[in-house]
Amino acid sequence: MPRIYITTPIYYVNGDPHLGSAYTMLITDTLARYYRARGWETFYLTGTDEHGDKIAQAAAEAGMSPKELTDRVSTAFRAAWDTCDITYDHFIRTTDPYHIRYVQELLTKVYETGDIFFDRYSGLYCVGCERFYTQKELRDGKCPDHLTEPKLIEEENYFFRMSKYQERLLRHIEAHPDFIRPEGFKNEVVAMLREPLGDLCISRPKSRLTWGIEIPFDQRYVTYVWFDALINYLSALKYKGEDVFTKFWPEAQHFIGKDILKPHGVFWPTMLMAAGLPLYKHLNVHGFWTVEGQKMSKSLGNVISPLAMKEKIGLDAFRYFLLRESVFGQDADFREESLTARYNADLANNLGNLVNRTLAMQERYFKGVVQPLSDPVPELDQRLAATFAQAATEVEHHVANLALSRALEAIFRATDQANKYITETAPFTLVKDPASLPRVGAVLHNLLEALRVAAQLLSPFLPDACAKIFALLNLPAEQIRAYDLPWGKAFVPGHAVQKPQPLFPRLV
Ligand code: ME8
């Protein structure tokens, strides 16, 4: 049985879920649903990243202990993803005892191999990024992400011999060109690996920070938050059992935003090498969302909340917009105007209309009862079936390449053809002639098939609407997964479908 292990970044608990984190969740949730429905053994992980300077500071600002803050915000994250019907298999918190134990185990192992050493260090540190910057990486002396000046910090610390693995990682990427996708991000990592890499400072003295995982071989220190957080991808599987780890780790596909490329593309694989573990299969890097052309920020007051979007337009419409409007790996812009336009054109006028017209005619002309197909099969009917078969092939190809917007485009091209089929066959005219009634029944049968296949292909993307379509078609849940059911075999003549119900009322 094929397998996939899908991970999201674990989110910092110093903010609320927003458009950006929701986007990563919707991509990964869609893929998890897609692979599960096709019979793949799937493990889908998300969670919260709770240690480090940033969280300690946020807690101090909120007048809470870090523990209080992390409990509260982590619970809110989990509740938000539950409200958004995100089908994660496990939610990890880096404050979970099993994670802490595993991080300490791994640190000890790497320390014992000699790849962790003690040294004096001075460097420029950005608290926002939780990492040291080289002069060259700064822009006008400031962190390019946070636009703040990093602090000069000088102290004794533990270091991970990252540079030792630089060449080996380069060779691995050359041998596996799709290790990091899309290619542009692979090239960025390769460029990082062509510069002297240096070693990674992986501890913080307790005199400066206590909110972290204690270094098991020196109680004066806690672990650098990235060395702790990345290990969640392993500790969650280990927690589920050694067999789960063995099955899923080789199939790991990480999904991240481009902001955390270096930790995932450079730190993480070298850490895995030092720990003597196989590398992940793919690092999939998506772009960033802006809102009406601007960076999302609390101070601009333009932060989009997935929960508010659910209230406003429904979850499926939000999912559809984010997945259809963005190309994986590229930046995208959230505009109210494009949201309304896409919703009305694709969801209301194309899919919604197809469902509505088909079921309304089925009800009006046949009281909802399915009629036989035409025999022999007319060319128009053959073409419609072929259009949906083609859409199914395209969806498979595009999903494998993470081109989710193209997969959606292919499905909506097919539903558009089905709407054209209504115009071409004109059942509403034919019905006036009693002799043509069998043909009208056959046309509607083909349209029900179109709805079934469309709902099947769309269900990982629009789970709620597709569940409704299946309920209207009066088909059992197993039919959703019956991908190899030939056209014309799903509805037995005599089967009754439901009256239409509006799925996507037009937005004004
Ligand atoms: O970096 N557009 O957590 P984080 C698209 N804890 N995606 C966005 C986005 C935007 N405007 N803003 C955020 C961390 N994201 C670490 C990760 S993993 C071991 C540790 C998404 O809360 C995107 O997935 O800052 C990005 O990578 C992630 O949120 C960063 O979340």
Side-chain angles (χ1 to χ4, degrees), residues 8-12 14 18-21 23-24 49 54 226 229-230 232-233 255-260 264 286-290 296:
T8 74
I10 46 172
Y11 303 103
Y12 285 129
N14 61 348
H18 54 63
L19 171 66
S21 41
Y23 178 56
T24 318
D49 187 356
K54 217 166 58 164
W226 273 106
L230 288 161
N232 91 89
Y233 302 132
F255 287 80
I256 59 162
K258 64 180 186 178
D259 54 329
I260 50 178
H264 283 82
H286 68 67
F288 253 47
W289 281 88
T290 47
M296 224 179 352

Side-chain angles (χ1 to χ4, degrees), residues 384-430:
L384 185 70
T387 300
F388 278 85
Q390 169 71 19
T393 310
E394 282 184 45
V395 166
E396 211 170 298
H397 172 77
H398 291 316
V399 172
N401 292 314
L402 303 176
L404 301 186
S405 70
R406 298 194 68 185
L408 284 169
E409 202 183 330
I411 305 169
F412 279 82
R413 217 182 301 123
T415 52
D416 188 45
Q417 278 305 317
N419 275 313
K420 292 204 171 100
Y421 172 84
I422 301 184
T423 319
E424 285 163 349
T425 53
F428 36 83
T429 312
L430 287 181

Side-chain angles (χ1 to χ4, degrees), residues 164-334:
K164 177 174 160 190
Y165 297 97
Q166 179 166 0
E167 268 308 309
R168 198 170 132 196
L169 179 54
L170 252 179
R171 283 199 306 277
H172 182 85
I173 298 177
E174 277 160 15
H176 303 84
D178 59 357
F179 181 59
I180 300 172
R181 324 186 268 195
E183 202 184 357
F185 295 111
K186 175 198 89 173
N187 296 340
E188 273 186 45
V189 170
V190 167
M192 290 173 202
L193 292 172
R194 294 225 159 99
E195 297 283 321
L197 196 54
D199 294 323
L200 183 66
C201 177
I202 57 149
S203 65
R204 300 291 180 261
K206 281 190 184 165
S207 55
R208 181 154 76 77
L209 176 76
T210 53
W211 184 239
I213 298 181
E214 192 175 274
I215 296 276
F217 38 86
D218 191 336
Q219 292 171 354
R220 296 171 304 159
Y221 289 88
V222 294
T223 310
Y224 169 45
V225 67
W226 273 106
F227 205 94
D228 152 359
L230 288 161
I231 293 171
N232 91 89
Y233 302 132
L234 300 173
S235 66
L237 291 182
K238 288 272 177 184
Y239 172 69
K240 290 285 170 180
E242 210 48 49
D243 53 329
V244 177
F245 180 83
T246 315
K247 263 200 315 204
F248 283 105
W249 177 246
E251 305 303 331
Q253 296 214 28
H254 300 310
F255 287 80
I256 59 162
K258 64 180 186 178
D259 54 329
I260 50 178
L261 178 62
K262 189 169 183 181
H264 283 82
V266 179
F267 302 175
W268 184 222
T270 54
M271 284 164 66
L272 288 165
M273 284 173 177
L277 288 166
L279 303 191
Y280 52 77
K281 199 163 186 174
H282 294 294
L283 176 62
N284 304 304
V285 189
H286 68 67
F288 253 47
W289 281 88
T290 47
V291 175
E292 313 279 345
Q294 284 185 304
K295 193 172 168 172
M296 224 179 352
S297 79
K298 272 194 196 150
S299 52
L300 284 176
N302 64 352
V303 178
I304 305 273
S305 142
L307 300 176
M309 289 311 294
K310 176 180 173 167
E311 287 299 306
K312 194 168 161 192
I313 55 163
L315 269 182
D316 278 4
F318 182 54
R319 285 174 84 102
Y320 181 73
F321 179 72
L322 294 195
L323 300 177
R324 179 65 184 84
E325 192 74 7
S326 62
V327 173
F328 192 90
Q330 293 178 20
D331 292 343
D333 190 31
F334 188 95

Side-chain angles (χ1 to χ4, degrees), residues 109-125:
K109 187 172 172 188
V110 179
Y111 185 59
E112 283 169 358
T113 63
D115 281 341
I116 290 178
F117 61 96
F118 195 65
D119 202 4
R120 187 159 192 85
Y121 182 76
S122 87
L124 296 163
Y125 190 73

